[in-house]
């Protein structure tokens, strides 16, 4: 019984970086409060106003369970998990591609009845984990190893991004950005990375030029382009359009009717003050279509003010700093995969967070990226939970190995002292 009790005590005691645990607690607490407040639009005229928040709390519970289960895994568990995620997400994306071709529109979710599964959310994390494992086997000084690793990474990323881009361009761009950053961090030759960066920059500039010069109707009539190309064009043009040329009255008359989400998000930010209107008192939540997901940060600012916004931003910055600390502590060759996985996960979560926040305050085009551990959405919450759990598991492994090295060193020092005394 003593051994069983000791085992249960070890399993029940959270492992890993305690500050990351605190960040998770803060973000989930804000999530429950603000999603409940921002869901009023969904409950208007219905018998129960608790259904959205109850569903969100169930999803948040899934996220917490994922954090716990992943943070007690070992390295081989992360390898098996990455294979399960990549195979499952590819199967899900393939299903959505086939379904989209039959329905003639982009599909993002698979309706499981009790859960809306979004494969692209899990594909993001899966690609990061697989690429990290590929980079850990890279021989930096070996040209053949460089070519093979670069080719494998680009092939995997291209397949996943091509399957995602039709239904979610921003997710494909996010995946590509994180993979490029990981390859730079992992030691892929600068020559390859320069070619890739220049090619991507040229493609983006060409796309922007075409969007600004080709009429939307021409793009709509072109059967070779995806149906969402017109949506991408509208968002790019909206972002590059200089709203400062309009007076308040002209903006309300000419621009606001076509940019309702951005307009109400800016009103939420502009009327927030330092400490906001307090939770439950948002005015713009009833006008924002995605108030509890894509534009949750605008509602946070409106209700918690600039002080609350700074707390949320500081939480993600602190998370990134703690990830950097974990990466630095992965010192030996056996911990390379851990270092790359931690770096990729940290970059994925924090970049996605600041994309979401930049959209809410008008600093970027509408992307549809949820705020990790805050926005409503079962797939996003579960993916974030798995990602954070892996971070905590890596942190725990690093701490255990440091303690083992320290104990071995103390034993050696003790043996040397006894030898000298003899």
């Amino acid at each position: 019984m003593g051994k069983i009790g000791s085992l249960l005590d070890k399993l029940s005691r959270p492992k890993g970086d305690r500050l990351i645990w605190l960040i998770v607690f803060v973000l989930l607490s804000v999530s429950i409060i603000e999603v409940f407040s921002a869901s009023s639009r969904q409950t208007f005229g219905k018998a129960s106003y608790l259904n959205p928040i109850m569903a969100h709390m169930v999803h948040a519970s899934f996220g917490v369970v994922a954090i716990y289960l992943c943070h007690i895994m070992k390295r081989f568990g992360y390898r098996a998990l990455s294979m399960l995620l990549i195979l499952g997400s590819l199967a899900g994306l393939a299903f959505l591609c086939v379904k989209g071709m039959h329905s003639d529109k982009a599909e993002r979710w698979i309706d499981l009845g009790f859960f809306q599964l979004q494969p692209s959310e899990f594909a993001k994390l899966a690609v990061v984990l697989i690429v990290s494992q590929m980079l850990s086997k890279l021989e930096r000084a070996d040209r053949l190893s460089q070519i093979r690793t670069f080719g494998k990474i680009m092939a995997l990323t291209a397949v996943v991004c091509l399957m995602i881009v039709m239904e979610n361009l921003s997710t494909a761009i996010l995946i590509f950005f994180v993979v490029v950053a990981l390859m730079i961090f992992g030691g892929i030759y600068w020559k390859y990375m320069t070619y890739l960066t220049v090619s991507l920059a040229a493609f983006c500039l060409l796309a922007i030029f075409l969007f600004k010069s080709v009429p939307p109707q021409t793009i709509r009539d072109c059967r070779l382009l995806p149906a969402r190309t017109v949506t991408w064009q509208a968002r790019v043009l909206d972002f590059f359009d200089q709203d400062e040329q309009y007076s308040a009255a002209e903006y309300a008359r000419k621009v606001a009717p076509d940019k309702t989400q951005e307009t109400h998000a800016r009103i939420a930010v502009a009327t927030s003050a330092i400490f906001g209107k307090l939770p439950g008192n948002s005015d713009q939540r009833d006008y924002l279509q995605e108030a509890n997901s894509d534009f949750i940060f605008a509602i946070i600012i409106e209700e918690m003010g600039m002080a609350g916004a700074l707390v949320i931003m500081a939480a993600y910055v602190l998370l990134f700093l703690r990830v950097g600390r974990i990466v630095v502590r992965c010192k030996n060759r056996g911990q390379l995969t851990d270092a790359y996985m931690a770096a990729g996960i940290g970059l994925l979560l924090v970049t996605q967070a600041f994309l979401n926040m930049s959209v809410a305050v008008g600093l970027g085009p509408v992307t549809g990226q949820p705020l990790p551990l805050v926005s409503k959405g079962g797939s996003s919450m579960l993916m974030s939970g798995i990602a954070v759990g892996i971070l905590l598991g890596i942190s725990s492994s690093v701490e255990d190995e440091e303690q083992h090295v320290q104990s071995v060193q103390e034993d050696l020092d003790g043996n040397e002292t006894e030898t000298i005394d003899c």
Side-chain angles (χ1 to χ4, degrees):
M1 292 295 293
K3 292 183 179 180
I4 296 176
S6 177
L7 178 61
L8 290 175
D9 181 62
K10 288 182 179 179
L11 291 176
S12 62
R13 188 183 307 160
K15 302 176 182 179
D17 193 308
R18 294 184 179 181
L19 197 50
I20 294 181
W21 279 107
L22 177 61
I23 293 169
V24 170
F25 174 78
V26 170
L27 292 177
L28 287 177
S29 299
V30 171
S31 174
I32 292 172
I33 294 170
E34 291 303 318
V35 168
F36 181 46
S37 176
S39 299
S40 61
R41 181 187 178 99
Q42 297 179 3
T43 60
F44 182 75
K46 295 184 179 180
S48 175
Y49 60 89
L50 293 177
N51 288 340
I53 189 59
M54 293 301 294
H56 179 63
M57 291 183 70
V58 170
H59 295 158
S61 300
F62 288 162
V64 172
V65 171
I67 291 174
Y68 178 78
L69 292 178
C70 290
H71 102 289
I72 60 177
M73 282 185 180
K74 300 298 181 181
R75 288 190 179 96
F76 71 91
Y78 298 143
R79 295 191 183 97
L81 179 62
S82 63
M83 292 304 299
L84 179 64
L85 285 174
I86 194 65
L87 293 175
S89 57
L90 285 175
L93 290 170
F95 173 79
L96 289 179
C97 288
V98 174
K99 185 180 178 183
M101 286 188 289
H102 286 293
S103 64
D104 197 29
K105 65 178 182 179
E107 298 283 347
R108 294 190 180 189
W109 296 274
I110 299 175
D111 190 358
L112 300 178
F114 64 95
F115 191 79
Q116 295 285 330
L117 181 66
Q118 190 172 2
S120 60
E121 282 294 316
F122 301 99
K124 290 188 288 192
L125 180 59
V127 170
V128 168
L129 297 179
I130 296 294
V131 168
S132 299
Q133 293 171 35
M134 291 179 180
L135 288 172
S136 67
K137 300 175 183 177
L138 172 69
E139 297 294 338
R140 296 195 179 198
D142 185 353
R143 185 172 179 272
L144 184 59
S145 177
Q146 287 274 348
I147 294 173
R148 286 177 176 174
T149 304
F150 181 76
K152 290 178 182 178
I153 291 174
M154 292 306 302
L156 172 66
T157 307
V159 169
V160 173
C161 289
L162 286 174
M163 297 178 75
I164 291 175
V165 71
M166 298 299 180
E167 49 98 6
N168 199 334
L169 175 63
S170 62
T171 297
I173 294 174
L174 176 61
I175 292 173
F176 216 100
F177 170 77
V178 174
V179 168
V180 170
L182 266 180
M183 285 195 291
I184 293 174
F185 177 63
I188 294 293
Y189 281 163
W190 278 99
K191 179 174 67 175
Y192 302 149
M193 301 311 301
T194 302
Y195 290 155
L196 179 62
T197 304
V198 171
S199 300
L200 289 175
F203 178 79
C204 292
L205 291 174
L206 178 62
I208 293 172
F209 172 76
L210 291 176
F211 282 159
K212 292 177 73 69
S213 58
V214 179
Q217 187 59 44
T218 303
I219 293 178
R220 189 178 291 108
D221 294 339
C222 182
R223 296 182 178 274
L224 298 177
L225 296 175
R228 286 185 58 83
T229 306
V230 177
T231 303
W232 303 337
Q233 182 189 33
R235 290 180 176 178
V236 169
L237 293 179
D238 285 345
F239 178 67
F240 284 101
D241 183 29
Q242 297 296 322
D243 295 336
E244 292 81 0
Q245 61 184 315
Y246 300 105
S247 65
E250 289 175 332
Y251 184 92
R253 186 175 66 256
K254 298 180 180 179
V255 181
D258 297 325
K259 301 170 67 174
T260 55
Q261 292 194 96
E262 297 94 319
T263 300
H264 288 293
R266 292 182 183 184
I267 293 173
V269 173
T271 58
S272 62
I274 297 177
F275 297 106
K277 302 174 182 178
L278 301 182
N281 295 315
S282 169
D283 297 319
Q284 302 307 312
R285 61 187 176 179
D286 296 326
Y287 302 99
L288 279 166
Q289 294 180 355
E290 303 294 337
N292 54 19
S293 55
D294 297 352
F295 286 90
I296 187 70
F297 190 62
I299 304 302
I300 291 173
I301 296 176
E302 185 182 13
E303 296 190 344
M304 296 186 173
M306 294 301 156
L310 288 175
V311 169
I312 299 299
M313 294 172 65
Y316 288 111
V317 171
L318 190 56
L319 174 63
F320 193 67
L321 293 176
R322 299 305 289 184
V323 169
R325 183 172 180 267
I326 294 171
V327 172
V328 170
R329 293 168 69 185
C330 295
K331 297 177 182 179
N332 58 56
R333 178 74 182 181
Q335 296 175 320
L336 266 182
T337 305
D338 292 347
Y340 293 141
M341 284 196 297
I345 290 172
L347 193 60
L348 176 65
L349 293 177
V350 175
T351 303
Q352 180 176 319
F354 278 91
L355 278 176
N356 176 281
M357 291 187 283
S358 65
V359 170
V361 299
L363 294 179
V366 178
T367 61
Q369 291 298 318
L371 192 60
L373 295 173
V374 177
S375 290
K376 183 178 182 294
S379 295
S380 173
M381 191 64 72
L382 187 55
M383 185 280 292
S384 300
I386 294 172
V388 172
I390 293 174
L391 279 179
L392 289 167
I394 293 172
S395 172
S396 175
S397 297
V398 170
E399 291 174 359
D400 291 343
E401 292 188 16
E402 286 179 345
Q403 291 176 1
H404 176 70
V405 170
Q406 183 178 357
S407 63
V408 170
Q409 186 63 43
E410 289 175 354
D411 290 342
L412 291 175
D413 293 341
N415 291 335
E416 290 179 359
T417 303
E418 291 177 2
T419 303
I420 292 173
D421 291 340
C422 291

